[in-house]
Structures are given as structure tokens and as C-alpha cells.
Amino acid sequence: MATVLMCRRFPRLSRLTAFSTTAKHKTERRSNKSKKEKRDKPGAASTGTESGATIQLLKPQDYRVLYNPAAYARGRAGSQQRVDRDSSQALGDTLAGPGTTEALQTFPTASSQALPPVRNALPKPKSSTLLEQTTLATLYKEEAEKEKWEVHDSKEDPRMFQKGRPEYRSLSCDSAEPAQTLPAEEEDSILQSVAGCEGSPGILTDYFRKLSRVPAERRAALLSDPRFGALCHRAVTTVRVFSTPDLIQILKACVPLAVPASHPLLDACEAEFCRRAWDMGLEQLLLVADCWRCLERGVPSYLGILFSYANLHWKDLTLPQFVQLLYIIGEGRRSPADLAQKVESTILKHLDAFTLEELGAICLGLFKSLSGMSDHVMRRIADRVSLQMEDMSTYALVNVLKMLRYTRVDHVPLMRELGKVIPARIPTTNIQGIMHVALTYSSLHFFDEDVLAAVATSLPSKVSYCRSKDAAKFLWSFGCLDYEPPNEEEFYSSLIKQLHTKLHEFRKFPEHLLTALLGLAFVKRFPEELIDFALREEFVQKTRGSKYELSKDLFTLGKSVEIECPTYRGSRLPPQLCQEFTEMVLSFAEQEIYVRPEIVEATSLLESVLGGPEYVKNHMILPHTRSSDLEVRLATDGHPIPFNFKDPVAAKKLKDMGVGLTDDLISQLTKGRAPSQSPAKVGNEAGVPSRERGDAAGTPCLGGALTAGAKSQAEPGAGRRQPREVRLALQVSNRNHFCYGSKRLLGLHCLKRRQLRLLGYEVVEIPFWEWFPLLKRTRSEKLSYLHYKVFCPALLARA
């Protein structure tokens, strides 16, 4: 039965390359490709490929990373509930300590019977419904147990930094402090005496302090005991007569007792601490804030007072108090704007005095609260971490990586050192930590095959611990870097299977499914059942209501499926929605992309090379890929064909249009080449085919941008045979199209070039490492370069 269920949960997968090569050929090709790419890889660490192969499986300054999927746009709903916080981008305790419930599943496990039906799903096995449900329930129960084991045994302590200095004992509530267990007889005696107690603050405080030592197995019974309820009621009615130290002791006692966050006693304590906060010391305020964190109770009003108090007494903050404050800021998911500058100056002041664990806590606090950090301060932190990384815990290191990618700082020494240190740690790192490592590399566009291979090797055995968010980010990271690991089939099949398992989560977090499917599309994998689910009207509506901007990602996925999956018969995006997305993308392109100097210059020079603006068009051939192309059309004999007419007048002027080039320039550009017809003559004789782009490519048109100007094309003369044309898509690239410091294209741009070829275009690269230096050279040199790119003999011969 288990085997049958596994078959049901594997998706139908469209993989273009699978039909044209054998497994052996793919392995050899991938091996050769990896060797070539390693030469281009920046900071390739010789950490020993051998060590990576024996992993034991346990349960440049002007460079700016600009592209980021909508699913990772920063933003948070601000909910106080732990479940909602777990789903947000800057996850709270993704690496929480033993005993915490943060990393448990956001949703309760559910039978697959509760999932919506998927079109084109695989046939259901013939089995008893009751037996199937029982087996599924057992599997989900086992999965839940595995996740609990991971939380207990694999998570690192997020409060490890507090063990580095004794000062933290007075600033934090350590619920793990060893204490003598309270005997059952004494517990009963205390509860019996509550009825006769007259409510002396000292006695009540002592009762709470003693009861906090009740062993874990008796706490649930204690909390439900009416006598304990009476004790709490007595404390609530007399809360104002307690001294501040006594009230703090009562709150600290509630932590080991695991008093529910909504308990009336905590309501009374919060109100009282807010009332007397300005009369308390900073040490007391931080201790109370830490108690609220341990009790998992959101106290925004109290935190607001704490931050205001700290702002007024900033000069009095000691180093431990500063670190504890940033820890509280992160746990409260609130970033006081007026503290930002003071935080940075204090970090620089104590930078050499912080322990490595404290640096990790500072970065995590700023990351969780979405606090900005200047490049200068982040680089100073990274400088120190890169020199002492081997002495840093993996948890603290991952926290620094979170802030590094949030600030978009490219720190090559740190990334190189990380490539030496992290692969050996991957097998013993929990799944969320591994995810953040992979996401850092992809977010910073930094390719390191040793690290990615170690992640891929370790993942399948831990994939059951992946939330929907983790699986999505793994797929995005590998797809963004266009990397398929040696165990690619096991790696991808395990993650796709996990996506099916977590399908119910995507109703609340649609951004994760789109992120995952885009990552798969980058590497030519299209799980059709999941795509059908993502393109259904009800799911599309959920994306429209998301707090993230998902329309561009949805557009990219939908159009990619149209081009690359001709046999796909599932749901598709409605045409009107595609038109809306197209107009939105083109509006952005007109303001931000078409006007870039390197593109404007290339367009102008190509017009001179070819004979006028009618021979070149600066637009998006594929709007869903969100980058521009310079389209040129040539006859098979190599002569340019005019096709870009922005208005009917241009078509009328075609016959009498002159050449935009001088004889001297033509002679210079064609020197050493056989005499040829002038562009004007070509324009008159060749004409323009009346077929539109979609028809010529054998695929449907992809939106208004693809057919713009089609009606105004010049009609060929009657009876004149039209030569076959070659369509060129010139790519004026920039640094953000490639992995850092290399010539390795990122996944989105690999996808774009692949789809252009499928539509019948010849892709011509004008890479930034060639074009940008030429922008400072003479016009003649630039014209000569572009002339060769367009009329490259090898390209024409291939066409």
C-alpha cells in the first residue's frame, strides 16, 4: 500500500530534455559543463570535493543585485500570533531552541482527501477507501513525529549568545535553569493554604515561585486546578500592591508553568507593567520583555514604552543591554525608526568587543524587525565574521547571512570563506538553516558548486521537514543559479513530492507555490498537476489578493508553459489577464529598461549600421521575461529587412527611403567582405513578410507587444517571392543577468534565451564585459563591433 501511495503523490513531470538524451549522455554533458563552469566560478574554494562526496546523511563594488522574486518581497502583516509570524518572510525563530513550538507545521496535518481535485491527476489506485485513509493518517502522524524530533534534536538555541556573559542572567528569563523539583505534597499544601491566605504580596509571590518548580508532567493538572485559579485571581485583584521585584518574580514564575498567553493574570501584569514602566530601570524593563517573549505573548504597547525609554537613556546602555535590546526588537518584529542611526553607531563602537554569537543575535534582531543597515556597517560585520568563521556556530553564521542578503551586500571574502566552512556543516544543520544558506547564494547571485552539491546531497533525507516555504526557496535557489546537482532526479522528485504534500498550505501562501514553480521552470521542469492548480481561476484570485506582488511571476509561469509545454492541457491564464500583465510590464519597461544608456546607444548605432530605425526594434519580444531585446531581421543572403514601422506614414515612405549611411562608412564597415546590395535596395526588393511573429514561429502570439506594428508592415510586390528571413534577438546584457563575477547566466535569462530559440529566433549576445568598455571608445569601433555581431558569418551560416 505504501508503494501505491507513493506513486499517487509523484507528479506528472514535463521535462524537455528527457526525450532527446540518454541518462549516460546527460551525465557526461553535465560533468563537462561543471568543469567549464568551475573555471568561471568566483571564489571557488578548494575545500575538497572528496569530503563532499562522503557526507553522512543525518536526520565587484558597483555590482548590485536587483532582481528578486515577488515571493520574497519584504513585508509582514504584523500579527501577534505565532502561527502568522512563522509564515512571514523574516521568520522569527526558524532555528529555535529545544522545547519551542515555532518550527512545527503552520497547519495541522491533513489527509490528502481534503485537497482539491487536480485535473490530469494520475489514476487512483484501486483500494479500500477506509484502508487508504487509515494508511494516510498513519503516514501523516509519522511525519509529524519526525518534525517534532527535528525540533527537539536538531534545533540550535537562539539564546546561546546569553551564555557568553554573566550579565545576561539579570536581563533574561532562563526557563532552563536547574531548580529543585517541588514535591507533590508541598504543592498540595500550598494550594490548600490558598483559601486561608489573606493575600499578602510576599506570601503570594512565594507561592508562585515555589509552584514554578512543579515538574513538567504535573503542570497541566496544576493549571486546571481551581485552587491555582483562585491563587491567580487573588494576584490579579491585588496586582497594584505588589512591589516591582515581586511582580517580576510572579511573571518569571509563569514562564516554566507555561501559563497561556491569554490568561487573565498576564493581562493584569501587562497593564501594570505598562503603568509603572517609566519608574523601572532598563535592566528590569529588558527582563520583563524577555519574559513576554518566553510566554509567546505579543505586547506592542509595552515594547513601545521600552523602546522610547531606551532612546532617552541610550548613552547608559551597556554592551549586554544593547544586544538584549536588539534581540527583543527582533522578537517583537518592530523596528523603532528613531533608533536606526543610534544602533549603527553603537555596533561600530563595540564591534571588536562583541562575541561572534552576539554578532549573530544582532543580525537576527535587525533581520526580523526589517531594520535597514548601511553597506558600511554590514561590510564591517562581514569583515570580522570572514576572519573568524570557523569559530562561529552555524546558527549565528546563518543569522549573519540573513542580514547579508537583506542588505544586498556582496562581500566576496565572506562568501569565499563560507564556501570552505559550510559544506562540512550541512549534514548536521537543520533544514531551515540549510535553506537560508542556499537562499543567500541565490539572492546574491553567487555560484559555488561545492556548497550547492552539499545542500542537494543532504536534502532528500530531510525533505519531510520542509515547510512549503522551505521547499519553494530550495527550488528557487537552484533554479535561479541554473544548477542541477549530481543527484538531480532524487533532489527534484523529493521536493516536488513535498509540494504535493503541502498543497493545502498554498491556499494561504500562494506566493510559495509560484516561487517553486518558477524555480522549476528555470531548469526546464514543469510538474503539470501543480501548474494546473496554480493557473486555476480560484488560485489566481488568491494571488491577486496577496500582500505580495505576484502578477509578474504568474505571468512568467503561464507564458513559459505555453511556449515550452505544447502537450499541456491544463488550466491557462485568461487572455484578458495576460493583456493586463503585458501592459503593466511594458509600462515599466518604457520608464526603466528601454531608456538605459547601454541599450539606447546600441539601438542608435544599429540604426546607423542597418540603414535606419525601420531595421531595428527595441522592445520586449517576450514580455513575461521582463527584459528588452533588440530585434533585427535579415534575409538568408544576409541583407537587413525593414519591419519596424511605428505609423502608416513610414510604410508609405519605404519606397523612396534613402540610406542612413555614408559611402565612406559603408566601405569601412564592409571592408574585406564581398560587395553587396545597399540597405535601401534590400528594403525595396526584399519587402516584409506579412506573417506575424506567432505564426512564423508556429506558436500563438504572446500579447500585444509581439504584434505591435504588424498592420503597418509594407506588403510585398505582387508575384514577388519573399526570401526566408532570419530573426535576430540581440541581448544587451548587464551584470545582473549573470552570477557574480562570472559569465554564467542566471536561471531567468537562461529561460528567456531558451524560449526565444523555441520561437525561431537566433539569440545574439552583446555581453556587458564587451559592450560596456566599448561605450567609452570611438563611434567607429562601436559600429564595427555591432556590424560583426549582426553579420557574423557563423551565425548566418547556421541560420
Side-chain angles (χ1 to χ4, degrees), residues 143-171:
E143 182 177 324
E145 291 299 322
K146 288 179 182 178
E147 291 178 3
K148 290 179 182 178
W149 178 89
E150 165 104 336
V151 170
H152 179 74
D153 291 335
S154 179
K155 294 288 184 182
E156 298 185 59
D157 186 0
R159 300 158 68 86
M160 184 64 69
F161 73 94
Q162 295 174 347
K163 295 176 172 55
R165 300 179 193 271
E167 294 90 336
Y168 286 111
R169 294 176 184 172
S170 60
L171 301 175

Side-chain angles (χ1 to χ4, degrees), residues 367-678:
F367 176 80
K368 286 183 179 181
S369 60
L370 302 181
S371 302
M373 182 187 291
S374 68
D375 286 7
H376 173 66
V377 175
M378 190 66 241
R379 288 188 185 281
R380 290 287 304 277
I381 293 176
D383 286 341
R384 182 170 172 210
V385 169
S386 62
L387 295 175
Q388 299 177 281
M389 191 177 295
E390 291 186 357
D391 301 326
M392 199 172 194
S393 72
T394 303
Y395 178 75
L397 178 57
V398 167
N399 291 338
V400 173
L401 295 182
K402 291 177 183 179
M403 201 60 195
L404 194 70
R405 77 167 190 263
Y406 179 71
T407 54
R408 298 289 183 187
V409 171
D410 53 302
H411 195 279
V412 177
L414 184 145
M415 298 303 292
R416 286 176 176 167
E417 187 64 22
L418 184 65
K420 300 176 184 178
V421 172
I422 203 65
R425 298 189 184 188
I426 292 295
T428 54
T429 302
N430 63 76
I431 199 69
Q432 280 78 39
I434 299 174
M435 178 270 289
H436 282 293
V437 170
L439 189 58
T440 298
Y441 276 89
S442 67
S443 296
L444 299 179
H445 298 173
F446 205 95
F447 180 79
D448 189 314
E449 188 169 8
D450 293 335
V451 174
L452 296 176
V455 169
T457 302
S458 183
L459 186 86
S461 65
K462 299 184 175 187
V463 75
S464 61
Y465 305 131
C466 283
R467 302 158 301 174
S468 60
K469 178 167 74 171
D470 300 323
K473 291 182 178 179
F474 277 121
L475 291 170
W476 169 262
S477 298
F478 278 66
C480 177
L481 297 173
D482 189 38
Y483 177 67
E484 297 191 68
N487 63 332
E488 60 176 289
E489 293 306 328
E490 181 188 21
F491 174 80
Y492 282 110
S493 63
S494 64
L495 283 171
I496 292 172
K497 176 184 174 183
Q498 188 68 2
L499 293 181
H500 279 267
T501 302
K502 302 297 181 183
L503 201 60
H504 58 285
E505 293 186 17
F506 297 130
R507 293 171 181 157
K508 186 171 184 180
F509 309 114
E511 64 273 12
H512 298 331
L513 181 57
L514 290 182
T515 297
L517 293 177
L518 277 180
L520 288 167
F522 291 163
V523 291
K524 298 182 286 186
R525 292 176 182 268
F526 297 90
E528 296 189 5
E529 289 83 1
L530 292 174
I531 291 171
D532 175 74
F533 181 84
L535 297 182
R536 290 181 187 177
E537 182 180 356
E538 55 268 31
F539 186 85
V540 171
Q541 289 304 316
K542 288 186 180 297
T543 66
R544 306 277 278 182
S546 172
K547 60 183 177 180
Y548 301 104
E549 174 52 60
L550 303 179
S551 56
K552 292 179 181 178
D553 292 343
L554 193 65
F555 187 36
T556 301
L557 176 65
K559 287 302 180 181
S560 295
V561 171
E562 284 187 21
I563 296 173
E564 301 202 49
C565 301
T567 61
Y568 173 74
R569 296 293 180 267
S571 303
R572 295 183 184 273
L573 291 178
Q576 63 273 19
L577 202 58
C578 292
Q579 183 63 28
E580 177 186 334
F581 292 160
T582 299
E583 292 173 357
M584 176 181 63
V585 171
L586 293 180
S587 175
F588 171 80
E590 289 174 357
Q591 300 175 27
E592 301 290 339
I593 299 178
Y594 298 157
V595 296
R596 289 175 181 170
E598 67 273 16
I599 296 177
V600 172
E601 180 82 350
T603 305
S604 175
L605 292 169
L606 278 171
E607 290 174 357
S608 297
V609 169
L610 299 172
E614 292 76 16
Y615 295 92
V616 58
K617 186 174 184 179
N618 176 14
H619 68 137
M620 287 184 176
I621 298 175
L622 302 177
H624 64 276
T625 60
R626 308 196 285 278
S627 57
S628 69
D629 313 271
L630 299 181
E631 183 177 356
V632 172
R633 300 183 187 179
L634 302 176
T636 52
D637 58 2
H639 293 87
I641 300 173
F643 70 98
N644 181 28
F645 307 110
K646 298 181 180 179
D647 54 62
V649 177
K652 186 177 180 181
K653 289 181 178 180
L654 174 62
K655 243 179 205 183
D656 303 320
M657 183 172 49
V659 183
L661 298 176
T662 65
D663 292 339
D664 291 340
L665 186 53
I666 293 176
S667 176
Q668 178 185 350
L669 294 177
T670 59
K671 186 176 181 181
R673 302 176 65 84
S676 62
Q677 295 171 292
S678 69

